[in-house]
Amino acid sequence: MLRITDDISLADWEITEQFVRASGPGGQNVNKVSTAVELRFEAERSPHLTPAVKTRLRKLAGRRWTQEGTLVLQVDETRSQARNRDIARDRLAELIRKALVKPKRRIATKPTKGSIKRRIAAKKQRGEVKAMRGKIDPDA
């Protein structure tokens, strides 16, 4: 059971963890101990998340979201299997918490009449400056 908020907690069947060998430095330890964690969360099948939250979670997850609707997190930051497991669970909880926040709708605003007048006046002045850069006619 993974607790996300006071209202939401994920059941054990929704999360599967697989331990694989990590890449990078670590000497012989990296060749014989499976310390990296691959956490899979069955997000699409989860009864604890609303469809709107699932949609936002899919967008936040990006490439970590599979076609089957599973969220896959891989962690191999530390040499400790238990610590990597905790980091993966924390990341999943944080991602779900971010998806729970409904973004504010942007309200389109109209420019004020004064700002429109100032913009056009500045454009006219700039146009006059550029017009003065033309060749001087010797006959005039």
Side-chain angles (χ1 to χ4, degrees):
M1 193 70 110
L2 179 64
R3 195 163 200 68
I4 307 298
T5 62
D6 294 336
D7 305 333
I8 300 171
S9 53
L10 305 176
D12 290 333
W13 67 267
E14 295 176 89
I15 299 171
T16 53
E17 293 167 333
Q18 187 177 357
F19 299 99
V20 293
R21 291 202 177 128
S23 62
Q28 290 180 345
N29 190 59
V30 82
N31 297 326
K32 60 185 180 182
V33 182
S34 298
T35 56
V37 178
E38 184 181 270
L39 185 138
R40 293 176 157 285
F41 169 55
E42 299 294 332
E44 203 62 54
R45 291 178 31 209
S46 176
H48 301 100
L49 303 178
T50 63
V53 172
K54 288 177 188 178
T55 304
R56 288 194 292 269
L57 186 61
R58 183 183 303 123
K59 200 172 265 187
L60 284 169
R63 289 177 48 211
R64 297 174 291 191
W65 190 275
T66 66
Q67 287 182 333
E68 295 82 38
T70 304
L71 179 65
V72 181
L73 296 173
Q74 285 187 318
V75 178
D76 62 349
E77 286 181 10
T78 66
R79 290 172 65 175
S80 164
Q81 188 183 73
R83 183 73 191 112
N84 283 337
R85 184 174 183 247
D86 291 340
I87 292 170
R89 285 173 167 256
D90 290 343
R91 283 188 188 166
L92 175 65
E94 188 58 39
L95 209 58
I96 293 172
R97 278 189 212 104
K98 280 184 183 175
L100 287 171
V101 177
K102 188 177 177 184
K104 284 186 178 179
R105 246 184 83 228
R106 184 187 176 279
I107 299 168
T109 57
K110 197 174 162 185
T112 61
K113 286 190 178 180
S115 69
I116 293 170
K117 283 182 182 177
R118 285 190 298 275
R119 182 178 145 269
I120 291 173
K123 283 170 69 89
K124 280 186 181 176
Q125 186 179 4
R126 190 78 185 131
E128 288 170 11
V129 168
K130 289 186 174 188
M132 298 296 268
R133 291 183 187 159
K135 288 190 177 177
I136 299 170
D137 192 18
D139 298 332

